[in-house]
Amino acid sequence: MNLKKNKNADFVKSSHHVRFAVQSAFTITLIIGCLNTISVAAEAPAGFDNGSNGFVLQGDFNNDKVLFEKRHTVAGGLGPVYNAQSCADCHTNPITGGSSQVTVLRAGIYDGKQFTNPPGGQVIHDRATHPSLQSVVSDKWNVRSLRLSSNVLGAGFIEAIDDRTLKAIAQKQPQQSKGKIKGQVVMADLVEVPGAKRVGRFGWKSQHASLLSFNAEAFRSEMGITNALFPTENTANGRSVTKYDTMVDPENNGWEVALITEFVRATKVPPRDLKLAASKEAMAGAKLFSKVGCDICHTATLTTAPSGTLVNAGTFTVPAALASKTIHPYSDFLLHDIGTGDGIVQSGGLSTRSKMRTAPLWGLRTRTRLLHDGSALTIEDSIKRHKGESTVVTQQFNNLNTLQKKQLLVFLGSL
Ligand code: HEC
Ligand code: HEC
């Protein structure tokens, strides 16, 4: 297998200077602000510190975070069927906006030719305000999936990645892997612009392309709160919930979704464990990560679009705080078949059935359960589960000696 040369070397070297980079980011932003003609890629602000990344002022960030953490009640539109009471019920570790062990249940029907959603949709709500509305999985629905709550910290930078950047990665992968690896670009509907699509990047299946689309759907699907973009109430496995729904739809006029989206966009990216990252072992491990080919999918470095770029079909202008930033998400945000796919079809059609998005590895050290369904409990187990497109890379991992494996795991533990 013709694995590419170690393009991580620069990043590994620069990880010493993360602290410096964060400090100087402010200066660089000022310079860009003054000149506004040159485009210098600076490291995105990183930290588990509840600080704004500069997209909004810290005071606004704090107020928006209160909404992300707000526990909704029936009087505020919660339910009648739902999964949890606040965004932060599920996105919480190690700070608000992180991931958690909470799973969401999905199901569907696959007859060998076609995938169909069950009555009422593929999200099966775990909670209801009345027992007659309890949803359950039917024996007839042969596709069943648990999905862990993913991290949203740093998502504003992911949204600011140009479609072309992700498409270019997909194009390059076959030649990096003797044709074994080819990420699938998913074109997702932008809910806020009917008819418009953009390269999907959010969710375990890259099913959404914009944070407004994702968050508005989460509001309706996870908490049962209808809003301008998702004005139709959930049902209980297709049964109407009207009898127990006292509020007029849409229950939220959209300002809350907008402010929650402002919060998500303003979060900093998950930081490395700087001490561990600077250790000899982690630095050797970073080289091995690239050498065995993990980074063909788990892309170490991406750069966001320049300031002023119009994204989301022209509805969002990439602001200076999110623009021309270097990020290290360790994902290509493309779908791959590594043999773990959950069979669920969302954006992108039937060809995505057995694929999952390359899990971003930033913040990995805060995760207790791995793979979309938490079916791997150690990092090494999750690597060994990589088959399909990743078979050759997994073999290369297995061929590492004990010291090299340890180095790679120390590196992963620093993410
Ligand atoms: C019951 C738990 C739960 C609640 C409540 C919840 N989420 Fe999530 N969230 C998830 C799960 C599970 C995923 C992964 C979704 C998938 O791909 O199936 C996710 C994914 C996301 C993502 C995509 C991150 C990525 O890159 O994959 C965003 C953004 C998000 N949620 C925002 C929100 C917002 C905003 C709220 C509140 C309005 C919210 N979530 C409420 C469980 C939850
Ligand atoms: C062909 C693309 C591909 C390659 C190569 C690859 N991965 Fe992955 N990786 C994925 C996908 C896709 C997932 C998500 C699978 C799922 O959720 O079912 C994943 C998940 C993971 C996870 C779990 C993360 C989480 O949050 O649950 C870890 C850890 C991981 N990969 C590490 C590695 C390492 C280390 C290597 C190299 C030895 C590697 N991967 C090679 C595509 C790849």
Short mmCIF file of all heavy atoms in Angstrom, two decimals, residues 148 173 180-182 204 288-289 292-298 332 334-342 355-361 364 367 369-376 378-380 382-383 385-391 393-394 396-397 408-409 412, ligand 2:
data_model
loop_
_atom_site.label_atom_id
_atom_site.label_comp_id
_atom_site.label_asym_id
_atom_site.label_seq_id
_atom_site.Cartn_x
_atom_site.Cartn_y
_atom_site.Cartn_z
N LEU A 148 -24.47 7.37 20.17
CA LEU A 148 -23.99 8.20 21.27
C LEU A 148 -24.11 9.69 20.94
O LEU A 148 -24.00 10.08 19.77
CB LEU A 148 -22.51 7.90 21.53
CG LEU A 148 -22.20 6.57 22.21
CD1 LEU A 148 -20.70 6.30 22.12
CD2 LEU A 148 -22.64 6.59 23.66
N GLN A 173 -8.18 10.24 -1.67
CA GLN A 173 -8.05 9.02 -0.86
C GLN A 173 -7.71 7.76 -1.66
O GLN A 173 -6.88 6.97 -1.21
CB GLN A 173 -9.30 8.83 0.01
CG GLN A 173 -9.31 9.81 1.18
CD GLN A 173 -10.60 9.82 1.97
OE1 GLN A 173 -11.66 9.44 1.46
NE2 GLN A 173 -10.53 10.29 3.21
N LYS A 180 -8.34 1.51 -2.13
CA LYS A 180 -9.16 0.84 -1.10
C LYS A 180 -10.09 1.81 -0.36
O LYS A 180 -11.16 1.43 0.09
CB LYS A 180 -8.24 0.17 -0.06
CG LYS A 180 -7.35 -0.94 -0.61
CD LYS A 180 -8.09 -2.27 -0.61
CE LYS A 180 -7.17 -3.44 -0.87
NZ LYS A 180 -6.70 -3.47 -2.28
N ILE A 181 -9.63 3.03 -0.22
CA ILE A 181 -10.39 4.00 0.58
C ILE A 181 -10.94 5.11 -0.30
O ILE A 181 -10.19 5.74 -1.05
CB ILE A 181 -9.50 4.61 1.70
CG1 ILE A 181 -8.98 3.50 2.63
CG2 ILE A 181 -10.24 5.69 2.47
CD1 ILE A 181 -8.01 3.98 3.70
N LYS A 182 -12.27 5.30 -0.24
CA LYS A 182 -12.85 6.44 -0.94
C LYS A 182 -14.01 6.97 -0.13
O LYS A 182 -15.09 6.35 -0.06
CB LYS A 182 -13.31 6.05 -2.34
CG LYS A 182 -13.99 7.21 -3.07
CD LYS A 182 -13.62 7.27 -4.53
CE LYS A 182 -14.19 8.47 -5.30
NZ LYS A 182 -14.39 9.70 -4.55
N TRP A 204 -23.51 11.42 12.98
CA TRP A 204 -22.74 10.19 12.73
C TRP A 204 -22.81 9.77 11.26
O TRP A 204 -22.06 8.91 10.81
CB TRP A 204 -23.25 9.05 13.61
CG TRP A 204 -22.84 9.15 15.05
CD1 TRP A 204 -23.61 9.59 16.10
CD2 TRP A 204 -21.55 8.82 15.61
NE1 TRP A 204 -22.86 9.54 17.27
CE2 TRP A 204 -21.62 9.07 17.00
CE3 TRP A 204 -20.36 8.32 15.07
CZ2 TRP A 204 -20.54 8.84 17.86
CZ3 TRP A 204 -19.28 8.10 15.93
CH2 TRP A 204 -19.38 8.36 17.31
N LEU A 288 3.37 7.65 13.72
CA LEU A 288 2.85 6.33 13.36
C LEU A 288 1.40 6.41 12.88
O LEU A 288 0.99 5.70 11.97
CB LEU A 288 2.95 5.38 14.58
CG LEU A 288 4.38 5.00 14.97
CD1 LEU A 288 4.41 4.36 16.35
CD2 LEU A 288 4.99 4.07 13.93
N PHE A 289 0.62 7.30 13.51
CA PHE A 289 -0.77 7.51 13.12
C PHE A 289 -0.85 7.82 11.63
O PHE A 289 -1.71 7.32 10.90
CB PHE A 289 -1.34 8.68 13.94
CG PHE A 289 -2.80 8.96 13.74
CD1 PHE A 289 -3.77 8.18 14.36
CD2 PHE A 289 -3.22 10.03 12.96
CE1 PHE A 289 -5.12 8.46 14.19
CE2 PHE A 289 -4.56 10.32 12.79
CZ PHE A 289 -5.52 9.53 13.40
N VAL A 292 0.86 4.57 9.39
CA VAL A 292 0.03 3.39 9.11
C VAL A 292 -1.22 3.75 8.31
O VAL A 292 -1.92 2.86 7.83
CB VAL A 292 -0.37 2.59 10.39
CG1 VAL A 292 0.84 2.17 11.18
CG2 VAL A 292 -1.33 3.36 11.25
N GLY A 293 -1.51 5.04 8.17
CA GLY A 293 -2.60 5.46 7.29
C GLY A 293 -3.90 5.84 7.98
O GLY A 293 -4.92 6.07 7.33
N CYS A 294 -3.86 5.95 9.32
CA CYS A 294 -5.08 6.38 10.03
C CYS A 294 -5.56 7.73 9.48
O CYS A 294 -6.76 7.97 9.35
CB CYS A 294 -4.82 6.54 11.52
SG CYS A 294 -4.15 5.09 12.34
N ASP A 295 -4.59 8.60 9.17
CA ASP A 295 -4.98 9.98 8.80
C ASP A 295 -5.45 10.10 7.35
O ASP A 295 -5.77 11.19 6.90
CB ASP A 295 -3.88 10.98 9.14
CG ASP A 295 -2.71 10.91 8.18
OD1 ASP A 295 -2.60 9.89 7.46
OD2 ASP A 295 -1.91 11.85 8.16
N ILE A 296 -5.51 8.99 6.63
CA ILE A 296 -6.16 9.06 5.31
C ILE A 296 -7.63 9.42 5.54
O ILE A 296 -8.21 10.22 4.81
CB ILE A 296 -6.03 7.72 4.55
CG1 ILE A 296 -4.55 7.41 4.29
CG2 ILE A 296 -6.80 7.78 3.23
CD1 ILE A 296 -4.32 6.05 3.67
N CYS A 297 -8.22 8.85 6.58
CA CYS A 297 -9.62 9.20 6.95
C CYS A 297 -9.65 10.23 8.08
O CYS A 297 -10.38 11.21 8.00
CB CYS A 297 -10.39 7.97 7.39
SG CYS A 297 -10.46 6.68 6.14
N HIS A 298 -8.87 9.95 9.13
CA HIS A 298 -8.88 10.86 10.28
C HIS A 298 -7.94 12.04 9.99
O HIS A 298 -6.86 12.16 10.59
CB HIS A 298 -8.44 10.12 11.54
CG HIS A 298 -9.41 9.06 12.00
ND1 HIS A 298 -10.56 9.35 12.71
CD2 HIS A 298 -9.41 7.72 11.83
CE1 HIS A 298 -11.22 8.22 12.97
NE2 HIS A 298 -10.55 7.21 12.44
N ASP A 332 -12.33 13.51 8.18
CA ASP A 332 -12.56 14.05 6.84
C ASP A 332 -14.04 14.40 6.66
O ASP A 332 -14.44 14.89 5.62
CB ASP A 332 -12.10 13.05 5.76
CG ASP A 332 -12.74 11.68 5.95
OD1 ASP A 332 -13.68 11.55 6.78
OD2 ASP A 332 -12.32 10.73 5.26
N LEU A 334 -16.32 12.61 5.94
CA LEU A 334 -16.89 11.81 4.85
C LEU A 334 -17.37 10.48 5.42
O LEU A 334 -16.98 10.09 6.53
CB LEU A 334 -15.83 11.57 3.78
CG LEU A 334 -15.14 12.81 3.20
CD1 LEU A 334 -13.95 12.41 2.33
CD2 LEU A 334 -16.12 13.66 2.40
N LEU A 335 -18.19 9.78 4.65
CA LEU A 335 -18.67 8.46 5.10
C LEU A 335 -17.78 7.35 4.55
O LEU A 335 -17.34 7.40 3.40
CB LEU A 335 -20.11 8.23 4.64
CG LEU A 335 -21.18 9.21 5.11
CD1 LEU A 335 -22.57 8.64 4.84
CD2 LEU A 335 -21.05 9.54 6.59
N HIS A 336 -17.54 6.35 5.39
CA HIS A 336 -16.75 5.18 5.00
C HIS A 336 -17.42 3.91 5.51
O HIS A 336 -18.05 3.92 6.58
CB HIS A 336 -15.35 5.26 5.62
CG HIS A 336 -14.52 6.39 5.11
ND1 HIS A 336 -13.79 6.32 3.95
CD2 HIS A 336 -14.31 7.63 5.60
CE1 HIS A 336 -13.15 7.45 3.75
NE2 HIS A 336 -13.45 8.29 4.74
N ASP A 337 -17.20 2.83 4.77
CA ASP A 337 -17.65 1.53 5.25
C ASP A 337 -16.46 0.84 5.91
O ASP A 337 -15.56 0.36 5.23
CB ASP A 337 -18.16 0.69 4.07
CG ASP A 337 -18.74 -0.64 4.53
OD1 ASP A 337 -18.55 -1.00 5.71
OD2 ASP A 337 -19.40 -1.30 3.71
N ILE A 338 -16.44 0.84 7.25
CA ILE A 338 -15.37 0.12 7.95
C ILE A 338 -15.97 -1.10 8.67
O ILE A 338 -15.39 -1.63 9.60
CB ILE A 338 -14.57 1.02 8.91
CG1 ILE A 338 -15.45 1.56 10.05
CG2 ILE A 338 -13.90 2.17 8.17
CD1 ILE A 338 -14.65 1.98 11.29
N GLY A 339 -17.15 -1.49 8.22
CA GLY A 339 -17.78 -2.70 8.76
C GLY A 339 -18.58 -2.47 10.03
O GLY A 339 -19.02 -3.42 10.67
N THR A 340 -18.77 -1.20 10.41
CA THR A 340 -19.51 -0.93 11.65
C THR A 340 -20.86 -0.26 11.37
O THR A 340 -21.59 0.06 12.30
CB THR A 340 -18.72 0.03 12.56
OG1 THR A 340 -18.48 1.25 11.83
CG2 THR A 340 -17.40 -0.57 12.99
N GLY A 341 -21.18 -0.04 10.11
CA GLY A 341 -22.35 0.76 9.73
C GLY A 341 -23.64 0.29 10.39
O GLY A 341 -23.82 -0.90 10.62
N ASP A 342 -24.54 1.23 10.65
CA ASP A 342 -25.74 0.86 11.42
C ASP A 342 -26.96 0.60 10.54
O ASP A 342 -28.04 0.31 11.05
CB ASP A 342 -26.04 1.90 12.50
CG ASP A 342 -26.42 3.28 11.95
OD1 ASP A 342 -26.48 3.45 10.71
OD2 ASP A 342 -26.67 4.17 12.76
N LYS A 355 -22.38 2.74 5.97
CA LYS A 355 -21.24 3.64 6.21
C LYS A 355 -21.50 4.52 7.42
O LYS A 355 -22.64 4.75 7.80
CB LYS A 355 -21.02 4.52 4.98
CG LYS A 355 -20.67 3.72 3.74
CD LYS A 355 -20.43 4.62 2.55
CE LYS A 355 -20.09 3.76 1.32
NZ LYS A 355 -19.90 4.61 0.14
N MET A 356 -20.40 5.02 7.98
CA MET A 356 -20.49 6.01 9.06
C MET A 356 -19.50 7.13 8.76
O MET A 356 -18.53 6.93 8.03
CB MET A 356 -20.11 5.40 10.42
CG MET A 356 -20.92 4.21 10.90
SD MET A 356 -22.72 4.42 11.01
CE MET A 356 -22.91 5.66 12.27
N ARG A 357 -19.74 8.29 9.35
CA ARG A 357 -18.78 9.39 9.24
C ARG A 357 -17.51 9.03 10.02
O ARG A 357 -17.60 8.46 11.11
CB ARG A 357 -19.39 10.65 9.86
CG ARG A 357 -18.43 11.83 9.93
CD ARG A 357 -19.06 13.05 10.61
NE ARG A 357 -19.14 12.92 12.06
CZ ARG A 357 -19.41 13.93 12.88
NH1 ARG A 357 -19.63 15.13 12.42
NH2 ARG A 357 -19.48 13.72 14.18
N THR A 358 -16.35 9.36 9.46
CA THR A 358 -15.11 9.20 10.21
C THR A 358 -15.26 9.96 11.52
O THR A 358 -15.44 11.18 11.50
CB THR A 358 -13.90 9.77 9.44
OG1 THR A 358 -13.83 9.13 8.17
CG2 THR A 358 -12.60 9.55 10.20
N ALA A 359 -15.20 9.24 12.64
CA ALA A 359 -15.43 9.91 13.92
C ALA A 359 -14.31 10.92 14.17
O ALA A 359 -13.13 10.55 14.12
CB ALA A 359 -15.46 8.88 15.04
N PRO A 360 -14.65 12.21 14.41
CA PRO A 360 -13.59 13.16 14.75
C PRO A 360 -12.93 12.71 16.06
O PRO A 360 -13.62 12.33 17.00
CB PRO A 360 -14.35 14.48 14.96
CG PRO A 360 -15.66 14.29 14.26
CD PRO A 360 -15.98 12.83 14.37
N LEU A 361 -11.60 12.74 16.10
CA LEU A 361 -10.91 12.22 17.29
C LEU A 361 -10.50 13.31 18.28
O LEU A 361 -9.94 13.02 19.32
CB LEU A 361 -9.69 11.38 16.89
CG LEU A 361 -9.99 10.16 16.01
CD1 LEU A 361 -8.70 9.39 15.71
CD2 LEU A 361 -11.01 9.23 16.65
N LEU A 364 -10.96 12.92 22.17
CA LEU A 364 -11.08 11.46 22.39
C LEU A 364 -10.83 11.08 23.85
O LEU A 364 -11.45 10.17 24.37
CB LEU A 364 -10.08 10.74 21.47
CG LEU A 364 -10.12 9.21 21.47
CD1 LEU A 364 -11.46 8.69 20.94
CD2 LEU A 364 -8.97 8.62 20.63
N ARG A 367 -13.79 10.54 26.18
CA ARG A 367 -14.83 9.58 25.79
C ARG A 367 -14.61 8.23 26.50
O ARG A 367 -13.50 7.72 26.52
CB ARG A 367 -14.78 9.35 24.28
CG ARG A 367 -14.81 10.63 23.43
CD ARG A 367 -16.21 11.08 23.14
NE ARG A 367 -17.04 9.95 22.76
CZ ARG A 367 -17.06 9.42 21.57
NH1 ARG A 367 -16.34 9.93 20.61
NH2 ARG A 367 -17.84 8.39 21.32
N ARG A 369 -17.00 5.58 25.87
CA ARG A 369 -17.59 4.58 24.97
C ARG A 369 -17.31 5.01 23.55
O ARG A 369 -17.47 6.18 23.23
CB ARG A 369 -19.10 4.46 25.21
CG ARG A 369 -19.39 4.23 26.68
CD ARG A 369 -20.87 4.21 26.97
NE ARG A 369 -21.05 4.24 28.42
CZ ARG A 369 -22.13 3.84 29.05
NH1 ARG A 369 -23.18 3.42 28.37
NH2 ARG A 369 -22.21 3.89 30.36
N LEU A 370 -16.94 4.06 22.72
CA LEU A 370 -16.48 4.43 21.39
C LEU A 370 -17.28 3.75 20.29
O LEU A 370 -18.00 2.78 20.54
CB LEU A 370 -14.99 4.08 21.25
CG LEU A 370 -14.10 4.80 22.29
CD1 LEU A 370 -12.72 4.18 22.34
CD2 LEU A 370 -14.01 6.28 22.00
N LEU A 371 -17.09 4.25 19.07
CA LEU A 371 -17.89 3.93 17.89
C LEU A 371 -19.30 4.49 18.12
O LEU A 371 -19.65 4.84 19.25
CB LEU A 371 -17.92 2.43 17.59
CG LEU A 371 -16.52 1.81 17.37
CD1 LEU A 371 -16.64 0.31 17.11
CD2 LEU A 371 -15.77 2.48 16.23
N HIS A 372 -20.08 4.60 17.05
CA HIS A 372 -21.34 5.33 17.16
C HIS A 372 -22.25 4.80 18.24
O HIS A 372 -23.01 5.52 18.86
CB HIS A 372 -22.07 5.33 15.80
CG HIS A 372 -22.50 3.96 15.37
ND1 HIS A 372 -21.65 3.09 14.73
CD2 HIS A 372 -23.68 3.31 15.52
CE1 HIS A 372 -22.30 1.95 14.49
NE2 HIS A 372 -23.53 2.07 14.97
N ASP A 373 -22.17 3.47 18.48
CA ASP A 373 -23.11 2.83 19.41
C ASP A 373 -22.48 2.49 20.76
O ASP A 373 -23.12 1.84 21.60
CB ASP A 373 -23.68 1.55 18.77
CG ASP A 373 -22.58 0.61 18.31
OD1 ASP A 373 -21.38 0.94 18.48
OD2 ASP A 373 -22.92 -0.47 17.78
N GLY A 374 -21.23 2.91 20.97
CA GLY A 374 -20.58 2.61 22.24
C GLY A 374 -20.19 1.15 22.38
O GLY A 374 -19.92 0.68 23.49
N SER A 375 -20.14 0.43 21.26
CA SER A 375 -19.88 -1.01 21.33
C SER A 375 -18.40 -1.33 21.53
O SER A 375 -18.04 -2.49 21.72
CB SER A 375 -20.40 -1.72 20.09
OG SER A 375 -19.78 -1.18 18.94
N ALA A 376 -17.52 -0.33 21.48
CA ALA A 376 -16.11 -0.54 21.83
C ALA A 376 -15.83 0.28 23.08
O ALA A 376 -16.24 1.43 23.17
CB ALA A 376 -15.21 -0.10 20.69
N THR A 378 -12.59 0.31 24.63
CA THR A 378 -11.21 0.80 24.69
C THR A 378 -10.82 1.26 23.29
O THR A 378 -11.39 0.81 22.29
CB THR A 378 -10.20 -0.27 25.14
OG1 THR A 378 -10.03 -1.22 24.08
CG2 THR A 378 -10.65 -0.99 26.42
N ILE A 379 -9.81 2.13 23.26
CA ILE A 379 -9.37 2.66 21.96
C ILE A 379 -8.85 1.53 21.08
O ILE A 379 -9.17 1.44 19.90
CB ILE A 379 -8.31 3.76 22.17
CG1 ILE A 379 -8.96 4.98 22.83
CG2 ILE A 379 -7.66 4.15 20.85
CD1 ILE A 379 -8.02 6.12 23.14
N GLU A 380 -8.09 0.61 21.69
CA GLU A 380 -7.54 -0.49 20.89
C GLU A 380 -8.65 -1.36 20.32
O GLU A 380 -8.59 -1.77 19.15
CB GLU A 380 -6.55 -1.32 21.72
CG GLU A 380 -5.74 -2.23 20.83
CD GLU A 380 -4.45 -2.77 21.47
OE1 GLU A 380 -4.07 -2.29 22.57
OE2 GLU A 380 -3.85 -3.67 20.88
N SER A 382 -11.61 -0.36 19.53
CA SER A 382 -12.28 0.35 18.43
C SER A 382 -11.42 0.30 17.17
O SER A 382 -11.95 0.19 16.07
CB SER A 382 -12.64 1.79 18.83
OG SER A 382 -11.50 2.59 18.91
N ILE A 383 -10.09 0.31 17.32
CA ILE A 383 -9.22 0.21 16.13
C ILE A 383 -9.39 -1.17 15.50
O ILE A 383 -9.52 -1.30 14.28
CB ILE A 383 -7.74 0.46 16.51
CG1 ILE A 383 -7.57 1.89 17.04
CG2 ILE A 383 -6.84 0.23 15.30
CD1 ILE A 383 -6.20 2.19 17.63
N ARG A 385 -11.86 -3.04 15.45
CA ARG A 385 -13.17 -3.17 14.79
C ARG A 385 -13.17 -2.57 13.38
O ARG A 385 -14.10 -2.78 12.61
CB ARG A 385 -14.23 -2.45 15.64
CG ARG A 385 -14.57 -3.16 16.95
CD ARG A 385 -15.57 -4.29 16.75
NE ARG A 385 -16.81 -3.80 16.15
CZ ARG A 385 -17.78 -3.17 16.82
NH1 ARG A 385 -17.66 -2.97 18.11
NH2 ARG A 385 -18.87 -2.77 16.19
N HIS A 386 -12.14 -1.80 13.04
CA HIS A 386 -12.06 -1.19 11.69
C HIS A 386 -11.76 -2.27 10.65
O HIS A 386 -10.64 -2.77 10.58
CB HIS A 386 -10.91 -0.17 11.62
CG HIS A 386 -11.18 1.14 12.28
ND1 HIS A 386 -11.54 1.29 13.60
CD2 HIS A 386 -11.10 2.42 11.79
CE1 HIS A 386 -11.67 2.58 13.89
NE2 HIS A 386 -11.41 3.28 12.81
N LYS A 387 -12.75 -2.62 9.82
CA LYS A 387 -12.50 -3.55 8.72
C LYS A 387 -12.87 -2.83 7.41
O LYS A 387 -12.66 -1.64 7.30
CB LYS A 387 -13.34 -4.81 8.94
CG LYS A 387 -13.07 -5.45 10.32
CD LYS A 387 -13.35 -6.93 10.34
CE LYS A 387 -12.69 -7.58 11.54
NZ LYS A 387 -13.42 -7.39 12.79
N GLY A 388 -13.42 -3.52 6.44
CA GLY A 388 -13.86 -2.89 5.19
C GLY A 388 -12.78 -2.00 4.59
O GLY A 388 -11.65 -2.44 4.40
N GLU A 389 -13.14 -0.76 4.34
CA GLU A 389 -12.19 0.18 3.72
C GLU A 389 -10.90 0.32 4.52
O GLU A 389 -9.87 0.71 3.99
CB GLU A 389 -12.82 1.58 3.61
CG GLU A 389 -13.84 1.74 2.51
CD GLU A 389 -14.40 3.16 2.47
OE1 GLU A 389 -13.62 4.12 2.33
OE2 GLU A 389 -15.63 3.31 2.59
N SER A 390 -10.97 0.04 5.81
CA SER A 390 -9.80 0.26 6.67
C SER A 390 -8.95 -1.00 6.87
O SER A 390 -7.95 -0.97 7.60
CB SER A 390 -10.26 0.80 8.03
OG SER A 390 -9.17 1.13 8.84
N THR A 391 -9.31 -2.11 6.21
CA THR A 391 -8.63 -3.39 6.45
C THR A 391 -7.10 -3.29 6.40
O THR A 391 -6.41 -3.75 7.32
CB THR A 391 -9.11 -4.45 5.44
OG1 THR A 391 -10.53 -4.50 5.53
CG2 THR A 391 -8.55 -5.82 5.76
N VAL A 393 -5.16 -0.67 6.64
CA VAL A 393 -4.64 0.20 7.69
C VAL A 393 -4.65 -0.54 9.03
O VAL A 393 -3.69 -0.48 9.80
CB VAL A 393 -5.45 1.52 7.76
CG1 VAL A 393 -5.01 2.36 8.95
CG2 VAL A 393 -5.31 2.30 6.47
N THR A 394 -5.72 -1.27 9.30
CA THR A 394 -5.80 -2.03 10.55
C THR A 394 -4.68 -3.09 10.59
O THR A 394 -4.07 -3.31 11.64
CB THR A 394 -7.19 -2.70 10.68
OG1 THR A 394 -8.18 -1.70 10.50
CG2 THR A 394 -7.38 -3.35 12.04
N GLN A 396 -1.79 -2.82 9.17
CA GLN A 396 -0.54 -2.09 9.48
C GLN A 396 -0.46 -1.79 10.97
O GLN A 396 0.62 -1.82 11.56
CB GLN A 396 -0.49 -0.75 8.73
CG GLN A 396 -0.74 -0.88 7.27
CD GLN A 396 0.49 -0.44 6.49
OE1 GLN A 396 1.60 -0.81 6.84
NE2 GLN A 396 0.27 0.33 5.45
N PHE A 397 -1.61 -1.48 11.57
CA PHE A 397 -1.62 -1.24 13.02
C PHE A 397 -1.24 -2.53 13.75
O PHE A 397 -0.39 -2.52 14.64
CB PHE A 397 -3.01 -0.76 13.47
CG PHE A 397 -3.15 -0.72 14.98
CD1 PHE A 397 -2.64 0.35 15.71
CD2 PHE A 397 -3.78 -1.76 15.67
CE1 PHE A 397 -2.75 0.38 17.10
CE2 PHE A 397 -3.89 -1.73 17.05
CZ PHE A 397 -3.37 -0.66 17.77
N LEU A 408 1.46 4.95 19.78
CA LEU A 408 0.25 5.38 19.07
C LEU A 408 -0.89 5.62 20.06
O LEU A 408 -1.64 6.61 19.96
CB LEU A 408 -0.13 4.34 18.00
CG LEU A 408 -1.34 4.65 17.11
CD1 LEU A 408 -1.26 6.04 16.53
CD2 LEU A 408 -1.45 3.64 15.98
N LEU A 409 -1.02 4.72 21.04
CA LEU A 409 -2.10 4.87 22.02
C LEU A 409 -1.87 6.08 22.93
O LEU A 409 -2.83 6.76 23.32
CB LEU A 409 -2.29 3.59 22.83
CG LEU A 409 -2.87 2.43 22.00
CD1 LEU A 409 -2.84 1.11 22.77
CD2 LEU A 409 -4.30 2.73 21.53
N LEU A 412 -3.03 8.97 20.90
CA LEU A 412 -4.50 9.06 20.86
C LEU A 412 -5.04 9.55 22.20
O LEU A 412 -6.02 10.29 22.26
CB LEU A 412 -5.10 7.69 20.49
CG LEU A 412 -4.84 7.25 19.04
CD1 LEU A 412 -5.22 5.78 18.84
CD2 LEU A 412 -5.61 8.14 18.06
C1 HEC B 2 -11.33 4.09 6.03
C2 HEC B 2 -11.37 5.18 6.95
C3 HEC B 2 -10.76 4.99 8.33
C4 HEC B 2 -9.48 4.63 8.63
C5 HEC B 2 -8.33 4.28 7.67
C6 HEC B 2 -9.38 4.65 10.07
N1 HEC B 2 -10.58 5.02 10.63
FE1 HEC B 2 -10.97 5.22 12.59
N2 HEC B 2 -12.95 5.51 12.18
C7 HEC B 2 -13.48 5.55 10.91
C8 HEC B 2 -14.93 5.60 11.02
C9 HEC B 2 -15.90 5.63 9.83
C10 HEC B 2 -15.24 5.59 12.39
C11 HEC B 2 -16.64 5.60 13.01
C12 HEC B 2 -17.18 4.17 13.05
C13 HEC B 2 -18.47 4.03 13.83
O1 HEC B 2 -18.85 4.92 14.57
O2 HEC B 2 -19.12 2.98 13.71
C14 HEC B 2 -13.97 5.53 13.09
C15 HEC B 2 -13.84 5.52 14.48
C16 HEC B 2 -12.61 5.52 15.15
C17 HEC B 2 -12.47 5.60 16.58
C18 HEC B 2 -13.61 5.73 17.58
C19 HEC B 2 -13.83 7.18 17.89
C20 HEC B 2 -15.15 7.49 18.55
O3 HEC B 2 -15.35 8.67 18.87
O4 HEC B 2 -16.01 6.62 18.72
C21 HEC B 2 -11.14 5.58 16.84
C22 HEC B 2 -10.46 5.68 18.22
C23 HEC B 2 -10.43 5.46 15.59
N3 HEC B 2 -11.38 5.44 14.57
C24 HEC B 2 -9.07 5.40 15.44
C25 HEC B 2 -8.44 5.03 14.26
C26 HEC B 2 -7.04 4.69 14.15
C27 HEC B 2 -6.05 4.74 15.30
C28 HEC B 2 -6.80 4.35 12.86
C29 HEC B 2 -5.53 3.82 12.25
C30 HEC B 2 -5.02 2.60 12.85
C31 HEC B 2 -8.07 4.50 12.14
N4 HEC B 2 -9.02 4.90 13.02
C32 HEC B 2 -8.23 4.32 10.78
C33 HEC B 2 -12.78 5.56 9.72
C34 HEC B 2 -11.45 5.21 9.58
#
